[in-house]
Amino acid sequence: MSNTSLKRTLSLWQVSALGLAWNTPMIYFSTFGVSYESASGQLLITYTLAFIAILFTGISYAYLAKKIPVSGSAYTFAKAAIHPNAGFIVGWIVLLNYLFAPIIACITFGVFLSAQFPTIPSFVWIIALIILLAAIAIKGIGASANISATFVAIQLLFIGGFAGFLLYKLFQGGNVPLANAFAAPLLQLDNPFHVLMVGASVVVFSFLGFDTITTLSEETKNPTKTIPRAIYLILIIVGTFHLTSSFVIQTSFPRLSFIQADAAALELMASVGGGILQLIFIVVLAMAIFTQGLASITAVSRLMFVMGRDGLLPKRAFAFIHPTYKTPVFNIILASCLSLLSLLFTVESAIRFVNFGALTSFFFVNLCVIILSWKNRVRHAPFLTYIAPAIGATIMFVLVSMLDVTTLTVGFTWIAFGFVYLLYLTNVFQQPLAAWKPSSKQSIHLP
């Protein structure tokens, strides 16, 4: 058995790059058709609701990352704040989210590349991506972060240029009054509020990713400061670019229809800039999907590592760290093999499964802040410790309830299997899971 320790090498910018890579700013366009249909065309309002919903949970993640600077994300937070059994169930839910994230990357990669190059089947692109992601992820977290930082910068430049071009076209010649142009997307209320919230429960996927960096706490320099700062930085960047993109697209194209929803962004690019913009878009999108897949494989492999280290998954395999690369090689290979399921799913179905896992785990993360604060009799900063997490938990509960019946059925079936496995692990609660006992390097930092 190799020494189960990870190497602290990541800086604020590297951690932020990995979070942005998982989220990938271009996810807005790779899932544009699904999001547009879910939002019934009212992009700006729906994305604004989703951003507000995520912001409260982001506050809770930042708070817990400062207090519990240990890899494992929501799993570790629930184990430390609530109970080891609750930690397992939350970790099991997060696992659904993290396992489907690289699957979405592979699906979208195959869809867009085969749409641009129809002579090459999508499965060829998918298999090639899986092999490449596994090889780079095995090599090490530093390589992943540096590649991600470069590709994320290219994405942001493309989105900024695209939005700027649409704004220029919109106001060229002064034919459109500024006040009317800026007000139109906000005043376009064709759907009732509950329909907008249903749309928000889908487009919220575009804001996911900040949470994955909490799986990197043990590979980050000064994690009690770096991780919370990275969370806020990611939310600000993603929120700014998604809301700006929603505004300029909805203002420029009040009504849109697509031949193929999964590749709708290709049709959008053709209508804006023709074949040249389409080609540039494909190149940037390929980079974006690549970084999303790389960050997703990294995140899920670290979550499985922590659960293996804690004995919730077979320790010999899942807690193994390669002596040379210092990465959980078995977990990376397993996640890569599971990514072959991308050959069986659509983009929309995979997004909904990710959203179920994410939104449900977000509910528990908000709950963790309240319980941890109550247990330790925290009285100051009530907004951070009680009000914001209570609002966040309520919003997450509402968004989960608005997911479609199939997604809820599959999601709760997954939880049921997790509960059965928990009964096995604990011998029907006769042998409780070990409580989390922080070491000197893994302590809860209380006020």
Side-chain angles (χ1 to χ4, degrees):
M1 175 72 68
S2 177
N3 183 23
T4 56
S5 62
L6 299 168
K7 187 177 179 181
R8 292 190 185 276
T9 60
L10 299 178
S11 65
L12 172 62
W13 295 109
Q14 288 178 313
V15 171
S16 300
L18 283 169
L20 285 169
W22 193 100
N23 170 270
T24 185
M26 287 289 286
I27 199 72
Y28 181 93
F29 293 103
S30 64
T31 60
F32 181 76
V34 174
S35 299
Y36 189 87
E37 292 179 351
S38 299
S40 301
Q42 295 181 247
L43 293 171
L44 183 57
I45 294 176
T46 305
Y47 269 93
T48 299
L49 291 173
F51 177 67
I52 293 171
I54 288 297
L55 188 59
F56 284 101
T57 296
I59 293 172
S60 292
Y61 264 99
Y63 181 86
L64 290 172
K66 184 176 182 179
K67 306 303 176 186
I68 310 172
V70 186
S71 294
S73 190
Y75 156 68
T76 300
F77 297 155
K79 182 178 181 180
I82 303 176
H83 190 275
N85 292 346
F88 171 80
I89 293 298
V90 172
W92 187 260
I93 294 170
V94 174
L95 197 57
L96 177 67
N97 170 15
Y98 283 13
L99 284 173
F100 267 93
I103 289 174
I104 290 175
C106 293
I107 295 172
T108 52
F109 194 77
V111 166
F112 280 97
L113 269 294
S114 62
Q116 185 69 19
F117 307 102
T119 57
I120 302 177
S122 61
F123 74 85
V124 174
W125 297 110
I126 289 173
I127 293 173
L129 178 64
I130 290 172
I131 294 172
L132 183 60
L133 291 178
I136 295 177
I138 287 172
K139 185 176 180 181
I141 192 73
S144 300
N146 293 331
I147 292 173
S148 298
T150 301
F151 285 2
V152 163
I154 294 172
Q155 292 177 60
L156 296 179
L157 285 173
F158 176 85
I159 296 171
F162 176 80
F165 179 74
L166 280 185
L167 282 174
Y168 170 76
K169 295 285 286 184
L170 185 63
F171 301 127
Q172 190 177 29
N175 295 325
V176 181
L178 289 177
N180 292 347
F182 280 94
L186 291 172
L187 298 177
Q188 191 182 50
L189 296 172
D190 298 334
N191 297 310
F193 183 73
H194 78 275
V195 174
L196 295 174
M197 287 298 290
V198 170
S201 71
V202 176
V203 304
V204 72
F205 173 77
S206 296
F207 294 99
L208 305 182
F210 68 89
D211 58 304
T212 61
I213 64 175
T214 57
T215 65
L216 305 175
S217 290
E218 292 173 50
E219 295 167 272
T220 301
K221 301 172 185 176
N222 196 6
T224 58
K225 292 183 178 180
T226 301
I227 298 295
R229 288 174 181 173
I231 288 172
Y232 287 124
L233 183 61
I234 291 168
L235 287 175
I236 290 170
I237 292 173
V238 170
T240 299
F241 278 84
H242 286 352
L243 296 182
T244 301
S245 298
S246 298
F247 165 74
V248 296
I249 292 173
Q250 189 176 341
T251 304
S252 302
F253 305 98
R255 291 289 183 270
L256 287 170
S257 60
F258 311 108
I259 298 173
Q260 184 182 0
D262 283 354
L266 269 180
E267 299 175 39
L268 176 65
M269 295 300 152
S271 64
V272 173
I276 294 177
L277 184 59
Q278 262 191 329
L279 183 59
I280 296 172
F281 169 75
I282 282 293
V283 172
V284 176
L285 186 67
M287 294 180 182
I289 295 173
F290 170 80
T291 54
Q292 180 202 351
L294 185 58
S296 300
I297 290 291
T298 299
V300 70
S301 65
R302 269 55 179 183
L303 176 62
M304 290 191 289
F305 163 75
V306 174
M307 295 181 75
R309 185 177 62 185
D310 290 351
L312 303 182
L313 296 173
K315 191 170 186 177
R316 185 175 182 83
F318 287 91
F320 172 76
I321 296 295
H322 193 279
T324 301
Y325 298 119
K326 299 297 183 183
T327 54
V329 172
F330 174 82
N331 300 346
I332 292 169
I333 294 174
L334 176 60
S336 300
C337 291
L338 291 174
S339 295
L340 290 171
L341 291 173
S342 55
L343 299 171
L344 306 177
F345 285 92
T346 64
V347 174
E348 183 175 5
S349 60
I351 285 176
R352 291 182 183 276
F353 293 140
V354 167
N355 283 355
F356 176 87
L359 296 176
T360 306
S361 63
F362 287 178
F363 169 82
F364 282 102
V365 166
N366 285 296
L367 199 62
C368 285
V369 176
I370 297 172
I371 292 175
L372 185 65
S373 301
W374 177 77
K375 281 183 176 180
N376 293 283
R377 297 180 174 83
V378 177
R379 296 290 182 265
H380 73 288
F383 179 80
L384 290 176
T385 53
Y386 297 104
I387 298 174
I391 295 173
T394 302
I395 293 174
M396 291 303 119
F397 181 83
V398 171
L399 291 179
V400 169
S401 69
M402 290 184 171
L403 294 172
D404 64 285
V405 174
T406 301
T407 302
L408 292 175
T409 301
V410 173
F412 283 112
T413 300
W414 173 263
I415 294 175
F417 277 116
F419 184 77
V420 171
Y421 184 45
L422 176 63
L423 292 177
Y424 165 76
L425 288 174
T426 61
N427 191 22
V428 194
F429 302 121
Q430 296 301 307
Q431 293 178 301
L433 300 178
W436 185 60
K437 296 179 180 180
S439 67
S440 59
K441 294 182 179 180
Q442 300 177 340
S443 57
I444 297 181
H445 296 252
L446 296 173

